[in-house]
Structures are given as structure tokens and as C-alpha cells.
Amino acid sequence: MSQPTEPQLPKDEIPESLVRRRMIKSFGWFALAAAVPVGVYEWITHSVGAQGIKRPFRKVLEANEQVARTYFSDNHLVRTFPVEQATKKARINGYDGLKSPIPEDWKLQIDRKDNQPLMLTVDDVKALPKHEIVYEFKCIEGWSQVQHWGGARLSDFLEKYKLGTRSGNAPNPDNTNDLFNYVGMETPDKGYYVGIDMESALHPQTLLAYELNGQPLNAPHGAPLRLIIPVKYGVKNLKRIGRIFFADEKPRDFWAERGYDYYVGL
Ligand SMILES: Nc1nc2c(c(=O)[nH]1)N[C@H]1C(S)=C(S)[C@@H](COP(=O)(O)O)O[C@H]1N2
Ligand SMILES: [Mo]
């Protein structure tokens, strides 16, 4: 099937389109269209403020920064369960990107701007603090199960390896403008791929998982390393991560290309 591609922005338009993109992100096209009569639009486009940012839009940027602060908070946690309630028979669903054996030379590749990619092992991930979570895993097809996963927080991983920022520093709650908008992940064969908004990636319950029910992951559940992202439906929980990268434009996403909502949040 044909793959929709992200529209490329002309270089000389970037500052304004950035503002526009943030606004769209905050309110959506619909609200934007409904809220801005033509006359108001004229006024906005003629009132240029400091830093070249149109004044009425700066308010939106400030509001957006408030939203951004929730990136690092422990609010909005997904409900968890006692470990006894976890199923011992976690369902297996979806084999895209898993159809060939796990590459013998598997490494977790992380792309960095102006730098060689990082090539890491599962032991590197296991060296980070281990977190376990028992929660209701939900598949968009209509089934759910209470499952028990273990791994490292993706946020700890990004902090340790100074990833996800334009500056190359560790993500910082006081400088959310430094964060890329999205994290992209794909299987080693590129047969399955997802894009995750940075807020969900940094959520404290989002894990790079290497255990299910206290045991090492098996291949159909995503060995050697998979994403567990409880604030999203199953589709975003990519199994067998091969490569991770960071971007401001939406990374391609397997099920979004097939008609599902890009964010599929709970
Ligand atoms: N590589 C890969 N990851 C994937 C899928 C897939 O087909 N390939 N399917 C997704 C879907 S739709 C779901 S519901 C979950 C299922 O995870 P499980 O097989 O461990 O239950 O994996 C997600 N991650
Ligand atoms: Mo799913």
C-alpha cells in the first residue's frame, strides 16, 4: 500500500509553521477553524511581536509550556493491580516485524544527531533501576488483560544516555522546549514501527521491558526488548525494538498508516 509521507515545510517558513503546529497540537484544526474568524486572522497576521513570534500566538506558546510541565509529573498514572491478579497466560497478538528470527548480532540502535548511533545491549538496559508494573493491557481489537511487565523506565534511559533533546543534554523539566516532539521505534527488519509523543514516552509508567511475569521475554512477546506504554493501546507497544530515534515531525506509524488514530491514548 502507498505510504503517506509527512509534508515538508519550506525552510523560510519554519518559525511561523512551528507556532502554527503548536497551536494545532493544543487545540486541533477544528477548534482553530471554529475560533478564528477571518478578521481576527488578519489582525493576528499583522501584529508581529518580539522574537518574530506573532503576539497573540505567544500566549498559546506560554499555555503550551504549562502543558509541557506535566511531562515530568507523576500525575495521570494508569491504574495498577496486585501482582496476583496478573494473568499467567498473556495473549500474543501481532507478528509484524517478528517474522524472521531475532538477529544474532542484535543491538539496540539509538540514532543521535551529530553523533554515531549508540549500540546497546539488554544488559545496558538492565543496569538501570528495574520497575515492574501490573496493569490492564488493552488491545484496540477489543480484548484486555491484566499483565505483569518488568524493565527500565524509558525516561531513566533517556536521562542516562542524554537522549531526546536537541541540545544533547538529558531531558530537563525546566526546558521542555529542548525536547523533540516524538520518539520513533522500529523492529530490526523495519516490518513494524511506531511514533510516540514525547509526553507519553517520558511518562513514569513507560518501560523498556525485558520481563513478563518475572521471566525473560520470549520472542513472540517481543524479546529481547519491547516497549510497554500503559497510557496507549497495544498497537504502540512495539515488540523487538531494533532502532530508536527522535524527531519533531511525526515518525511513521504502522497502524496509523492503516487508518487508526495516531495517538491512540487511553
Ligand atoms: N513488532 C510488533 N509489535 C507489536 C505488534 C506487532 O504486530 N509487531 N502488535 C501490537 C499489538 S496490536 C498488540 S495488541 C501488542 C500485543 O502484545 P503481546 O503479543 O505481547 O500481547 O503488541 C503490539 N506490538
Ligand atoms: Mo492490538
Side-chain angles (χ1 to χ4, degrees):
M1 76 176 281
S2 70
Q3 314 268 326
T5 51
E6 280 295 311
Q8 291 300 118
L9 298 165
K11 284 239 162 17
D12 59 347
E13 257 192 53
I14 281 167
E16 201 184 328
S17 56
L18 244 178
V19 172
R20 203 184 311 134
R21 189 151 46 79
R22 277 166 198 254
M23 218 174 138
I24 291 159
K25 233 171 106 182
S26 307
F27 301 113
W29 273 112
F30 182 79
L32 183 62
V36 185
V38 176
V40 175
Y41 183 77
E42 290 284 279
W43 165 68
I44 285 168
T45 52
H46 287 98
S47 63
V48 178
Q51 298 158 19
I53 294 172
K54 310 226 154 95
R55 229 180 270 111
F57 282 158
R58 293 192 59 203
K59 282 263 174 266
V60 175
L61 285 179
E62 282 154 23
N64 208 276
E65 208 156 292
Q66 288 306 312
V67 172
R69 290 188 179 278
T70 68
Y71 277 39
F72 295 85
S73 84
D74 273 11
N75 295 336
H76 57 271
L77 291 180
V78 164
R79 180 181 172 200
T80 58
F81 296 80
V83 72
E84 310 78 60
Q85 289 186 33
T87 180
K88 294 281 172 256
K89 293 183 177 174
R91 191 161 158 174
I92 294 167
N93 204 49
Y95 289 89
D96 292 289
L98 309 181
K99 285 165 190 162
S100 46
I102 301 167
E104 269 176 45
D105 58 350
W106 179 91
K107 288 260 170 31
L108 177 62
Q109 176 183 330
I110 296 115
D111 292 351
R112 299 176 296 176
K113 218 181 78 194
D114 310 324
N115 254 318
Q116 290 291 97
L118 269 177
M119 302 296 284
L120 300 176
T121 64
V122 176
D123 284 342
D124 293 324
V125 177
K126 286 184 176 166
L128 293 161
K130 182 174 167 184
H131 290 271
E132 294 180 48
I133 185 166
V134 182
Y135 79 105
E136 191 177 0
F137 184 105
K138 293 180 180 152
C139 172
I140 225 159
E141 292 163 14
W143 57 271
S144 73
Q145 277 188 333
V146 175
Q147 298 177 345
H148 172 199
W149 298 94
R153 279 184 177 160
L154 182 56
S155 60
D156 287 348
F157 178 80
L158 298 185
E159 176 163 359
K160 158 111 191 247
Y161 290 99
K162 298 185 163 55
L163 298 166
T165 57
R166 295 185 196 89
S167 64
N169 297 324
N172 174 353
D174 293 321
N175 190 11
T176 52
N177 289 331
D178 189 28
L179 295 169
F180 283 104
N181 292 340
Y182 295 97
V183 182
M185 296 192 184
E186 61 189 29
T187 56
D189 69 356
K190 307 188 191 308
Y192 196 82
Y193 37 90
V194 297
I196 308 279
D197 56 280
M198 186 59 84
E199 180 175 4
S200 300
L202 290 171
H203 187 277
Q205 291 172 311
T206 299
L207 303 179
L208 290 174
Y210 46 79
E211 281 184 4
L212 169 61
N213 291 324
Q215 300 297 313
L217 281 187
N218 61 19
H221 278 302
L225 198 65
R226 75 171 299 170
L227 182 65
I228 285 295
I229 183 156
V231 296
K232 301 285 186 186
Y233 277 99
V235 286
K236 293 284 189 186
N237 291 242
L238 183 135
K239 302 188 275 191
R240 195 190 288 182
I241 306 171
R243 183 171 81 101
I244 299 180
F245 60 95
F246 306 93
D248 283 321
E249 304 300 324
K250 279 183 190 160
R252 57 203 283 263
D253 185 276
F254 188 90
W255 283 109
E257 287 174 0
R258 286 156 182 80
Y260 285 91
D261 174 61
Y262 192 90
Y263 292 93
V264 290
L266 291 169

